[in-house]
Amino acid sequence: MDIMTSVGLVSGILVVTTMVLMGGDLHMFVSEHAVIIIFGGSIAATMIRFPLSALMHGLPLGAKFAFTMSRLAAHDLVDELARIAEIARKQGPVGLEKVETNEPFLAKGIRYVADGYDLEFIRDNLERDRDNFLMHLDEGSKIYRAVGDCAPAFGMIGTLIGMVQMFANMTDPSKLGPFMATALLATLYGALVANLFCLPIADKLHGKLLDEETNRTLIIDGILMIRDSKSPALVREMLLAYLPEKHRHEEGEPVPA
């Protein structure tokens, strides 16, 4: 679980709710018309921007990865791959059949080596798997950013509609308040949806896309070196290049060759 995403969302909601309650009743800030224009309009515009397949893959994958972390960090993957290389060197590919890992992508690579697939087959399949995953994660980021871009615009549209309705009913003072409230709440809802939910999630997904790209490329290189019977020490040294400079010196001693 990525606790920072959850903590950030809850904190933002608490801040806004506290400010609302300090100034009056919560019901004052509820408007069905504003909800319809913000969510209905933003969803409609996003459906126009993206094909159905992108929405079906990007939205659930984006929602999942915004609240979850990778099972293994890059420095943990280096240690794990060095350990697997040691097993492969001592027991051969057959020994990898009993290796267990919490990272599904790494498990797939281990299975390919254990089953004796050739180097090109392993590289092509793992790279295709990585690229498809990153493409869907990128789609999720773009979709949430698109909703974040649309929400304030539709908030302004809702405000303009409320203002038109208000000016059209100037002769009836009893309608001026509700129309003005609808106009202002549409802007409020649009700003909240964009700046508290969609745009932060889009940025979080972009950051995780970069991390996943590094991790999966690291795994591919490690698996290919294991398939090519490279020594554990060489595997570790080659993979340390993926880590930031300061983290390379924090790694333990290389696995003995």
Side-chain angles (χ1 to χ4, degrees), residues 131-149:
D131 294 343
N132 285 336
F133 172 81
L134 295 177
M135 179 186 68
H136 293 319
L137 195 57
D138 185 51
E139 286 175 345
S141 175
K142 291 178 178 177
I143 290 170
Y144 281 98
R145 189 170 300 281
V147 176
D149 291 339

Side-chain angles (χ1 to χ4, degrees), residues 48-228:
I48 295 172
R49 287 187 178 188
F50 297 94
L52 180 61
S53 59
L55 294 174
M56 296 296 291
H57 287 105
L59 279 175
L61 187 66
K64 173 184 176 182
F65 271 81
F67 291 91
T68 57
M69 299 286 288
S70 297
R71 291 177 175 83
L72 293 174
H75 59 84
D76 295 326
L77 287 173
V78 172
D79 292 337
E80 185 78 355
L81 285 162
R83 181 182 69 85
I84 295 168
E86 181 70 16
I87 295 174
R89 187 178 190 186
K90 291 181 177 179
Q91 304 178 22
V94 177
L96 298 180
E97 295 180 355
K98 298 180 181 179
V99 173
E100 296 183 357
T101 177
N102 293 325
E103 177 58 57
F105 188 72
L106 176 57
K108 178 182 291 188
I110 295 171
R111 188 176 72 250
Y112 285 160
V113 176
D115 290 344
Y117 290 111
D118 63 77
L119 208 63
E120 290 303 316
F121 175 89
I122 296 174
R123 177 186 289 108
D124 291 344
N125 277 272
L126 290 181
E127 287 182 349
R128 188 180 302 113
D129 189 305
R130 176 199 60 192
D131 294 343
N132 285 336
F133 172 81
L134 295 177
M135 179 186 68
H136 293 319
L137 195 57
D138 185 51
E139 286 175 345
S141 175
K142 291 178 178 177
I143 290 170
Y144 281 98
R145 189 170 300 281
V147 176
D149 291 339
C150 290
F154 277 98
M156 183 58 66
I157 292 172
T159 297
L160 294 175
I161 292 173
M163 296 292 288
V164 169
Q165 293 172 332
M166 183 185 71
F167 288 124
N169 291 273
M170 292 292 287
T171 56
D172 186 355
S174 65
K175 294 183 179 181
L176 297 182
F179 285 139
M180 177 59 78
T182 298
L184 296 177
L185 287 175
T187 300
L188 175 63
Y189 286 8
L192 286 175
V193 169
N195 295 291
L196 183 57
F197 295 98
C198 294
L199 294 180
I201 287 178
D203 288 338
K204 174 62 71 74
L205 291 177
H206 179 70
K208 292 193 173 182
L209 184 149
L210 298 178
D211 290 340
E212 286 293 330
E213 183 177 16
T214 298
N215 288 354
R216 294 189 178 225
T217 303
L218 186 156
I219 289 173
I220 292 174
D221 285 353
I223 289 296
L224 293 178
M225 284 190 285
I226 292 171
R227 175 63 181 82
D228 206 24

